[in-house]
Amino acid sequence: MATKTANVNSRMKLDIKQQAESILDRLGIPRSVAIDMYYRQIIAHNGIPFALTLPNELTEQEEPAVEK
């Protein structure tokens, strides 16, 4: 039985795409394989496979407005 596949479409800044694909090329990893690896890690970790944190101190511009 043939394995079913699906397409993933995303938009990102051109420089980010180019830098990442340059690294993937040097590693010999096709973009589709890298995306598949990332999705598999999401499944394995039951979430994003790296820490998502905010800096300890936000600047005044970044702080959300708090009503008093």
Side-chain angles (χ1 to χ4, degrees):
M1 177 187 339
T3 303
K4 293 183 180 182
T5 62
N7 291 329
V8 175
N9 297 310
S10 65
R11 298 193 63 78
M12 66 181 67
K13 291 184 177 183
L14 179 60
D15 64 324
I16 299 295
K17 178 183 179 288
Q18 290 172 334
Q19 289 177 52
E21 289 182 1
S22 174
I23 294 166
L24 291 172
D25 286 344
R26 289 185 299 197
L27 293 169
I29 300 173
R31 175 182 25 188
S32 60
V33 172
I35 293 168
D36 184 75
M37 291 166 56
Y38 178 59
Y39 273 48
R40 290 174 184 270
Q41 285 299 303
I42 291 171
I43 294 165
H45 287 85
N46 198 31
I48 303 297
F50 47 82
L52 297 174
T53 59
L54 294 173
N56 289 335
E57 296 181 19
L58 298 176
T59 65
E60 287 184 20
Q61 290 178 335
E62 296 172 324
E63 287 183 8
V66 178
E67 290 186 29
K68 293 182 181 180

